[in-house]
Amino acid sequence: MGSSLLPSPAFSMAIFFVVCAFLCVFPEPALAKHARVTRHYKFNIKSQNVKRLCQTKSIVTVNGQFPGPRIIAREGDRLVIKVVNHVQNNLTLHWHGVRQLRSGWADGPAYITQCPIQTGQSYVYNFTITGQRGTLWWHAHISWLRATVYGPIVILPKRHVPYPFPQPFQEVPIIFGEWWKADTEAVISQALQTGSGPNVSDAYTINGLPGPLYNCSANDTYKLKVKPGRTYLLRLINAALDTELFFSIANHTLTVVEADAVYIKPFKTQIVLITPGQTTNVLLKTKSKSPKATFVMAARPYVTGPAAFDNSTTTGLLEYETSSVKANKNKNKKKLPLLKPVLPKLNDTLFSMNYNKKIRSLANAKFPANVPKAVNKNFFFTVGLGVSTCSKKQTCQGPNNTRVVAAINNVTFVQPNTALLQAHFFNQSKGVYTTDFPANPPFKFNYTGTPPSNIAVSSGTKVVVLPFNTSVELVLQDTSIIGAESHPLHLHGFNFFVVGFGSGNFDPKNDPKKYNLVDPAERNTVGVPSGGWVAIRFLSDNPGVWFMHCHLEVHTSWGLKMAWVVLDGKRRNQKLLPPPSDLPKC
């Protein structure tokens, strides 16, 4: 009786062939179940009292943590992050460096891809990590809230896929930040009212801790405890608002193996240079035996501009573990000597140029550098400072009662009242933005020489429209108006290839002949050299609206930003998906 319920061998074989045929026709859904994991996070935006530099202040945090929680995923995973806003500030979060393929609604810059999450409201960021692995980071993307709202994103390779460098014994995120005694929202608000530069930070931090060179901070010191003869992967992130940083560990050589979540040809260095927005993975090989010393790790600014800056140094300690027997013997002895690193001069532009020349893609069969060889559209953008007139009722502190602003091609960006992506998707751009962003500066001048007499800028919410799959070459030229300065430019939604850079004015006839189209660095944030230029290439293969801005927060506030609108392609998988139902309203 029971045996009659079993299928016949012929029926079983038929089922087997049907299943095999299904897998051949639809392999992805079947395999995705095993290959891809959906990882859920909940981020509660809340105020938290934190004490630094002898003072307690209330800061905006995620889940009460500073720095915020670590996100861990594997290449191919889907991330679903529910963000609930419990503070008085409007807020958005940006997943810095994540490509956001067709998921621009999850990118996060306020009034570009979404309206902010208002007090008491929530929003679910839903996106998939496609073709990326390495260190990225997340941060608030509205006003100056990212001063305290940031954290690491660790994207591991797919299972059973090794790193293209020695497997580390341990992986350690190290995030550089700035600490302000004042409320950063008040700092930028005052600067925008007066038209002058904002006050500077009071300290730099390593993983939220300033270190012993600052008042009351001996106990607020980051300590990395290591074992001798091991390899550690340090995941470095520069989350500082306004400062590029040099970083070094006394008497230790670092091997740089990744930049902006892209593997690079490894190179050894005593010093790492990292701009706001960038990430760098380095291997630290510890000494074979525990040395009788403690080693200082230090970060201090690389400064190129004319503005005031925080001229201080944050330090942490690299401490070797010793056996308990040795430790007890040493208890009664004097403290171990403290060895300090030597960092470059604050304005060492030559070091910056030489360091960045060393960053080159692996460009091998497994990790190719798909640099666009033919270019469909060329753009030349000047980036720098300028002035705009103040209203008659107002007194401003810039030259001749003007306010200092920043601009790209002489246009300072005006933030709209509704998100550009919504206006684009629903064909409601009228009154929100115009599509006449200039492809070249409105007038030519000696960009890095004597500035023109008229340094006034225009303003507007202007974008560049790109057809799908357009290969773009963009030259970014620093200007000496008010002062030459390095600008870390970040492009949302894309990685780009840094095909060339140099000092002085870009020469369109001769400089392209020297481009590296074989193994250029692939990045999401690049420093435009002070008094120089950088050329980048990318393919517009991601439909949506994508922000591009200086990652010095003061320059973004002053208008050094613009947006690219990438149109849908013809195929279904080349079109922007519709917005989620919980997209915040303005």
Side-chain angles (χ1 to χ4, degrees):
M1 192 66 179
S3 62
S4 65
L5 297 174
L6 294 172
S8 68
F11 182 75
S12 297
M13 191 60 74
I15 291 288
F16 173 77
F17 281 120
V18 168
V19 170
C20 284
F22 177 82
L23 289 177
C24 289
V25 179
F26 304 108
E28 281 184 58
L31 294 176
K33 194 183 285 185
H34 303 286
R36 190 193 311 178
V37 172
T38 299
R39 299 176 188 266
H40 291 268
Y41 288 85
K42 187 172 183 185
F43 278 14
N44 284 304
I45 310 297
K46 54 202 274 191
S47 295
Q48 185 75 28
N49 283 336
V50 174
K51 187 174 184 180
R52 296 285 185 276
L53 312 181
C54 322
Q55 288 183 2
T56 300
K57 67 178 276 199
S58 177
I59 63 170
V60 179
T61 68
V62 170
N63 299 346
Q65 298 176 38
F66 172 69
R70 188 183 314 180
I71 287 177
I72 300 179
R74 285 194 182 277
E75 180 187 343
D77 285 355
R78 180 169 159 237
L79 285 167
V80 178
I81 304 162
K82 183 174 184 178
V83 177
V84 187
N85 187 3
H86 300 285
V87 297
Q88 293 305 304
N89 311 74
N90 287 347
L91 186 125
T92 67
L93 292 184
H94 169 52
W95 319 95
H96 185 110
V98 173
R99 284 288 318 270
Q100 298 292 359
L101 291 165
R102 300 170 64 220
S103 58
W105 307 104
D107 191 44
Y111 301 103
I112 306 297
T113 59
Q114 69 167 99
C115 299
I117 307 166
Q118 296 175 25
T119 307
Q121 302 293 308
S122 66
Y123 180 46
V124 176
Y125 290 92
N126 187 337
F127 55 92
T128 298
I129 307 282
T130 306
Q132 292 182 278
R133 83 294 303 163
T135 303
L136 295 172
W137 63 300
W138 58 264
H139 59 81
H141 211 305
I142 184 169
S143 192
W144 279 26
L145 289 181
R146 79 171 174 87
T148 57
V149 181
Y150 59 80
I153 302 175
V154 174
I155 307 168
L156 301 170
K158 290 178 178 175
R159 287 197 181 280
H160 312 301
V161 176
Y163 294 128
F165 46 78
Q167 179 69 27
F169 170 69
Q170 194 178 336
E171 303 183 4
V172 185
I174 291 184
I175 312 182
F176 306 108
E178 289 169 335
W179 183 260
W180 306 67
K181 290 181 180 177
D183 173 12
T184 49
E185 293 302 282
V187 169
I188 186 56
S189 175
Q190 182 190 19
L192 293 176
Q193 279 174 11
T194 62
S196 63
N199 292 336
V200 301
S201 59
D202 298 287
Y204 299 108
T205 57
I206 297 175
N207 288 345
L209 302 170
L213 298 184
Y214 299 99
N215 285 346
C216 318
S217 299
N219 293 329
D220 289 334
T221 301
Y222 175 69
K223 294 177 182 176
L224 176 59
K225 295 192 182 297
V226 296
K227 295 177 186 290
R230 304 282 188 160
T231 298
Y232 292 79
L233 180 67
L234 307 184
R235 297 177 176 271
L236 309 179
I237 299 166
N238 187 350
L241 283 186
D242 291 316
T243 313
E244 300 188 49
L245 293 166
F246 294 118
F247 171 71
S248 184
I249 302 176
N251 293 40
H252 286 74
T253 300
L254 302 171
T255 305
V256 184
V257 293
E258 180 194 297
D260 286 0
V262 179
Y263 298 135
I264 64 168
K265 291 182 170 72
F267 68 90
K268 293 187 185 311
T269 183
Q270 306 292 317
I271 297 147
V272 171
L273 175 62
I274 184 166
T275 81
Q278 288 183 339
T279 60
T280 304
N281 280 7
V282 299
L283 295 177
L284 167 68
K285 184 85 178 355
T286 57
K287 300 182 185 300
S288 55
K289 293 180 181 175
S290 287
K292 292 175 181 173
T294 298
F295 303 92
V296 172
M297 52 174 79
R300 81 167 186 204
Y302 165 54
V303 180
T304 56
F309 63 95
D310 174 359
N311 183 14
S312 65
T313 304
T314 179
T315 54
L317 298 176
L318 181 77
E319 297 181 337
Y320 279 75
E321 291 184 8
T322 51
S323 67
S324 54
V325 178
K326 277 185 184 175
N328 287 333
K329 277 184 184 175
N330 290 335
K331 257 184 185 177
N332 300 322
K333 293 184 180 176
K334 60 183 177 182
K335 279 188 177 179
L336 293 174
L338 202 60
L339 303 181
K340 298 172 186 175
V342 177
L343 289 164
K345 289 179 181 175
L346 294 168
N347 62 349
D348 196 338
T349 304
L350 184 63
F351 177 91
S352 169
M353 283 283 195
N354 290 335
Y355 179 85
N356 285 307
K357 276 178 189 166
K358 295 175 188 171
I359 300 175
R360 292 174 175 260
S361 294
L362 277 182
N364 57 23
K366 204 169 185 183
F367 302 102
N370 297 316
V371 193
K373 298 291 195 294
V375 173
N376 303 130
K377 292 210 170 186
N378 284 277
F379 297 89
F380 182 81
F381 287 1
T382 55
V383 293
L385 304 180
V387 296
S388 70
T389 53
C390 269
S391 66
K392 289 177 182 175
K393 298 175 185 174
Q394 206 176 357
T395 303
C396 287
Q397 293 175 5
N400 301 320
N401 196 36
T402 55
R403 63 172 65 250
V404 178
V405 293
I408 302 176
N409 274 356
N410 216 48
V411 178
T412 186
F413 187 85
V414 177
Q415 187 169 279
N417 296 319
T418 188
L420 298 183
L421 186 59
Q422 276 174 276
H424 162 66
F425 185 83
F426 293 110
N427 293 316
Q428 295 171 342
S429 62
K430 194 173 180 185
V432 180
Y433 65 83
T434 58
T435 57
D436 57 345
F437 191 91
N440 293 282
F443 58 94
K444 290 183 178 178
F445 61 98
N446 181 0
Y447 305 114
T448 55
T450 305
S453 54
N454 181 7
I455 58 172
V457 303
S458 63
S459 62
T461 310
K462 299 172 185 286
V463 304
V464 173
V465 177
L466 294 172
F468 187 81
N469 255 3
T470 303
S471 59
V472 173
E473 179 175 311
L474 168 62
V475 175
L476 296 156
Q477 172 74 59
D478 182 37
T479 72
S480 57
I481 295 174
I482 297 183
E485 193 165 0
S486 175
H487 298 277
L489 258 288
H490 172 47
L491 175 61
H492 290 228
F494 300 93
N495 278 358
F496 52 75
F497 291 94
V498 183
V499 295
F501 58 90
S503 55
N505 295 336
F506 174 72
D507 180 345
K509 188 178 175 186
N510 295 311
D511 284 331
K513 295 173 187 173
K514 305 172 207 159
Y515 281 175
N516 174 10
L517 301 177
V518 178
D519 61 351
E522 183 182 347
R523 308 208 70 144
N524 63 58
T525 305
V526 66
V528 180
S530 176
W533 58 272
V534 63
I536 67 173
R537 288 187 181 181
F538 66 96
L539 187 66
S540 64
D541 58 355
N542 192 7
V545 177
W546 304 108
F547 203 25
M548 190 178 82
H549 61 99
C550 183
H551 226 278
L552 300 178
E553 211 60 49
V554 61
H555 289 174
T556 297
S557 300
W558 281 345
L560 209 163
K561 48 193 173 182
M562 54 81 69
W564 304 84
V565 174
V566 178
L567 303 177
D568 284 346
K570 291 177 182 174
R571 297 179 189 165
R572 201 174 73 174
N573 67 350
Q574 296 173 339
K575 297 184 191 301
L576 176 67
L577 296 169
S581 58
D582 65 337
L583 186 72
K585 292 178 173 58
C586 283

